[in-house]
């Protein structure tokens, strides 16, 4: 058979060559449904952001590497600095959370949008706003 005599894909489906798959928009194509969009941040916009799941506080590196937290601060500060000036960065060493205060709420929003559900060092992080008052009250 030459290519000219091959039935087209829709004809093959109609001939029973490719069975339709339940729940799929296109018969015969087992493509997964697109992933839902990431959840919206919960807190009201502010100039402060928290990044959860940034590191495992029980990991050997966090426990024994003397440069672990300074390297983390440097990496996070550099990455977040792409979205605006980071005024202050705090690390919760027992919770795996990094808190950032930007000069402007717009910078915090850009960082949050870029980092929420992103992967960092093999861990998927989540980002949310934190109030300026809560940020200031952190004793880290």
């Amino acid at each position: 058979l030459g290519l000219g005599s091959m039935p087209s894909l829709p004809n093959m489906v109609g001939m029973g060559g490719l069975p339709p798959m339940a729940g799929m928009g296109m018969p015969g194509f087992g493509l997964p449904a697109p992933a839902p969009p990431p959840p919206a941040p919960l807190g009201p916009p502010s100039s402060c952001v928290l990044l959860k799941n940034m590191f495992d506080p029980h990991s050997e590196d966090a426990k024994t590497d003397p440069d672990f937290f300074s390297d983390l601060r440097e990496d996070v500060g550099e990455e977040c600095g792409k979205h605006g000036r980071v005024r202050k960065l705090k690390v919760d060493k027992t919770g795996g959370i990094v808190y950032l205060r930007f000069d402007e709420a717009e910078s915090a929003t850009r960082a949050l949008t870029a980092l929420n559900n992103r992967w960092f060092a093999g861990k998927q992080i989540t980002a949310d706003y934190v109030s300026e008052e809560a940020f200031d009250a952190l004793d880290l």
Side-chain angles (χ1 to χ4, degrees), residues 91-110:
V91 177
D92 177 353
K93 295 179 180 180
T94 62
I97 301 171
V98 175
Y99 297 87
L100 301 129
R101 183 174 206 147
F102 291 86
D103 275 347
E104 301 173 346
E106 294 80 14
S107 300
T109 298
R110 285 191 299 270

Side-chain angles (χ1 to χ4, degrees), residues 66-127:
D67 299 321
F68 179 80
F69 291 105
S70 60
D71 290 345
L72 177 71
R73 286 175 179 275
E74 183 179 326
D75 291 347
V76 173
E78 183 179 311
E79 184 64 28
C80 290
K82 296 175 183 177
H83 307 289
R85 185 175 172 275
V86 176
R87 186 187 305 177
K88 186 145 178 107
L89 188 148
K90 297 180 180 184
V91 177
D92 177 353
K93 295 179 180 180
T94 62
I97 301 171
V98 175
Y99 297 87
L100 301 129
R101 183 174 206 147
F102 291 86
D103 275 347
E104 301 173 346
E106 294 80 14
S107 300
T109 298
R110 285 191 299 270
L112 189 146
T113 301
L115 298 174
N116 193 31
N117 291 313
R118 183 172 161 185
W119 290 85
F120 178 80
K123 302 179 80 53
Q124 188 172 22
I125 61 173
T126 58

Side-chain angles (χ1 to χ4, degrees), residues 8-14 17-34:
S8 66
L9 184 59
N11 289 341
M12 289 177 66
V13 171
L18 295 174
M21 296 185 68
M24 295 296 168
M26 294 184 67
F29 288 91
L31 300 176

